[in-house]
Amino acid sequence: MFISLEGPEGAGKSTQLPQLGAWLEQQGHEVFTTRNPGGTPIGAQIRQVVLDASNRAMVPTTELMLYAADRAQHVAEVVRPALAAGTIVLCDRFTDSTMAYQGYGRGLDKDLIRQLNAMATGGLRPDLTLLLDLPVEEGLARAAKARAADRLENEQIAFHHRLRAGYLALAAEDPDRFVVIDARQAPDDVQGQLREAVSRLLGKRS
Ligand code: TMP
């Protein structure tokens, strides 16, 4: 089972995902928690380049290809082998991030992104995508408290509004795969809803 967690900046993914993984392990499942970009040693190098705030000259096409390169390596090196071994894979961001950020945010061609995503993943799609949604200003304020802004977080507010709307459009287009959760709720309530969504999927599979 392959589950991705998505959301704009400051949605709380990195707090929620390990808790979800620990809960699944308590239920006796094998779980592998990973992320895009940076889920492999090569991906970690790509992550540094793509997020480095001093890389101001980076053009959108380069950015798109770096995320795709990270994902190709990640799927082949760790995700497919884990799924083949029967492990539940929890992934912090996946192909929907590329559509939201590079497609809706940067305005790159969405058909081309679909093709590039398909190429990078060999057609692998999440069984479930959990989208943590919250207003842009709130998310950016939370992210700013947590750490120094990276290259993407430094983008203008309009970019962040476009990508949030993009995420919601992707969820509306694919309601069988997406579950949208209001990330403004208390962290325990968010976690509860994540668990409910995963339980529903586990129920369907058993
Ligand atoms: P995060 O994993 O700490 O959220 O940081 C990753 C950043 O990279 C975040 O700003 C979203 C962005 N991103 C893209 O723009 N496209 C992608 O395909 C992925 C995976 C991430």
Side-chain angles (χ1 to χ4, degrees), residues 9 13 35-37 47 51 63 67 71 92-95 97-98 101-102 147 150 152-153:
E9 308 302 329
K13 292 180 293 94
R35 68 172 176 177
N36 272 184
R47 181 180 174 97
L51 294 184
E63 179 181 289
Y67 284 114
R71 185 162 306 117
D92 186 341
R93 299 192 181 280
F94 198 59
T95 44
S97 278
T98 310
Y101 280 75
Q102 282 66 54
R147 57 183 178 269
D150 63 32
L152 277 287
E153 286 162 349

Side-chain angles (χ1 to χ4, degrees), residues 4-178:
S4 61
L5 188 60
E6 294 281 358
E9 308 302 329
K13 292 180 293 94
S14 44
T15 313
Q16 295 290 342
L17 202 61
Q19 291 179 21
L20 188 63
W23 170 75
L24 278 166
E25 278 173 354
Q26 281 163 16
Q27 323 263 305
H29 298 284
E30 289 278 331
V31 182
F32 177 63
T33 303
T34 185
R35 68 172 176 177
N36 272 184
T40 61
I42 291 172
Q45 295 176 54
I46 295 175
R47 181 180 174 97
Q48 275 203 329
V49 173
V50 78
L51 294 184
D52 187 340
S54 69
N55 279 336
R56 280 183 290 272
M58 190 179 294
V59 298
T61 306
T62 305
E63 179 181 289
L64 169 66
M65 290 184 174
L66 286 171
Y67 284 114
D70 164 79
R71 185 162 306 117
Q73 187 65 34
H74 185 240
V75 167
E77 187 178 334
V78 297
V79 178
R80 282 198 188 274
L83 292 173
T87 305
I88 297 180
V89 176
L90 297 181
C91 194
D92 186 341
R93 299 192 181 280
F94 198 59
T95 44
D96 298 300
S97 278
T98 310
M99 193 55 90
Y101 280 75
Q102 282 66 54
Y104 286 88
R106 297 284 186 222
L108 293 177
D109 186 89
K110 296 190 182 66
D111 279 333
L112 197 124
I113 292 177
R114 255 175 234 117
Q115 286 174 36
L116 199 56
N117 276 342
M119 182 181 172
T121 60
L124 179 70
R125 287 160 52 88
D127 300 294
L128 172 67
T129 296
L130 302 158
L131 172 59
L132 297 185
D133 178 60
L134 85 173
V136 167
E137 289 79 3
E138 252 175 80
L140 288 173
R142 282 192 194 176
K145 263 196 213 156
R147 57 183 178 269
D150 63 32
R151 202 176 55 80
L152 277 287
E153 286 162 349
N154 275 333
E155 271 303 319
Q156 302 197 340
I157 193 102
F159 170 81
H160 294 282
H161 280 289
R162 286 196 297 275
L163 75 87
R164 180 195 181 198
Y167 267 132
L168 293 172
L170 291 170
E173 276 164 24
D174 201 350
D176 290 341
R177 176 166 64 92
F178 273 90

